[in-house]
Amino acid sequence: MKLRLVFTLVLASLSASAMAATDSTTQTNNTDTASGTHPFQLSLPNKNVPEGNVNGGRVALFYGRTDKVTGANLTLFGLSDVNEFKGAELGFFGVNRNRVDMQGAQFGLVNWNDNTATGASIGLVNYTGGTYTGAQLGLVNFNKGPMIGAQFGFANYAGNLTGLQFGLVNATNRIDEGVQIGLINFDKSGTFVSKDVPVFPIINARF
């Protein structure tokens, strides 16, 4: 009788554990679905449909904020705000903003990278706060951090330059290794003529 009671208690305990595990798995799966990665997302002000990251295509209308996007990102008449992006961004009368890192190609009125970026940025204004590796093409290209690559525009600025600046006005704190070609070339650390001459027309270089 005692043995039967023990078996009954063991079976009841196992059944309860199995039911708890099933409930936990269901909750985990529901959580993954809610906050996981999706093939498509529509970003609206204060709302993403569906919520979560994107591996595929995303459309931001007026304003949309998402953590991670891999694939294609289309901004319509507003601001796309992403933490980490890999792929191609197209801003149709819009602004592409990436807060942590951008890897790929950007096309927009304004391409705005708070931190690092790798690839190509084409727009009226291109801004990067950290290191940019690649090419920027625009009326104004402003790279607060080091520029490793090429800038083509009416006005170009790089914190430090390794590569090429081609424009009407080019400016940098220092050319580490590269060339400036333009009407006005400014290097705060000095031009190839002298360290005391920070401006030189047409061409300036350091190798």
Side-chain angles (χ1 to χ4, degrees):
M1 185 70 179
K2 291 183 179 180
L3 185 61
R4 184 178 300 176
L5 180 60
V6 170
F7 279 136
T8 302
L9 292 174
V10 169
L11 288 174
S13 178
L14 290 174
S15 298
S17 299
M19 290 177 65
T22 301
D23 290 341
S24 176
T25 302
T26 301
Q27 290 175 2
T28 301
N29 289 338
N30 289 338
T31 301
D32 291 342
T33 302
S35 62
T37 302
H38 306 281
F40 177 79
Q41 182 181 83
L42 175 62
S43 276
L44 301 169
N46 300 316
K47 181 66 176 178
N48 290 323
V49 184
E51 296 289 345
N53 299 322
V54 181
N55 190 347
R58 173 176 177 266
V59 176
L61 181 61
F62 304 125
Y63 174 77
R65 176 81 186 270
T66 303
D67 185 26
K68 296 180 182 179
V69 176
T70 300
N73 188 56
L74 176 62
T75 306
L76 299 176
F77 307 104
L79 171 64
S80 169
D81 194 341
V82 179
N83 285 335
E84 297 180 39
F85 180 80
K86 294 181 181 180
E89 292 184 304
L90 176 60
F92 187 77
F93 295 106
V95 176
N96 300 311
R97 181 184 185 184
N98 300 291
R99 294 175 181 257
V100 178
D101 183 56
M102 189 285 293
Q103 299 179 37
Q106 298 176 298
F107 306 88
L109 294 179
V110 177
N111 297 308
W112 172 9
N113 302 303
D114 289 15
N115 196 20
T116 57
T118 302
S121 297
I122 300 173
L124 296 180
V125 177
N126 300 307
Y127 168 83
T128 302
T131 300
Y132 194 101
T133 304
Q136 294 176 320
L137 175 62
L139 290 180
V140 176
N141 300 307
F142 189 97
N143 206 83
K144 189 175 181 180
M147 176 71 198
I148 304 171
Q151 292 179 310
F152 303 90
F154 180 84
N156 301 308
Y157 173 82
N160 285 43
L161 176 65
T162 300
L164 170 68
Q165 286 183 324
F166 188 94
L168 189 65
V169 178
N170 302 307
T172 184
N173 290 330
R174 176 181 173 80
I175 299 177
D176 291 327
E177 186 175 355
V179 180
Q180 293 175 314
I181 300 175
L183 183 63
I184 298 174
N185 300 305
F186 173 84
D187 186 340
K188 187 177 180 180
S189 67
T191 60
F192 74 93
V193 177
S194 169
K195 66 178 182 179
D196 298 320
V197 180
V199 179
F200 199 79
I202 310 305
I203 190 167
N204 179 42
R206 179 181 286 120
F207 296 101

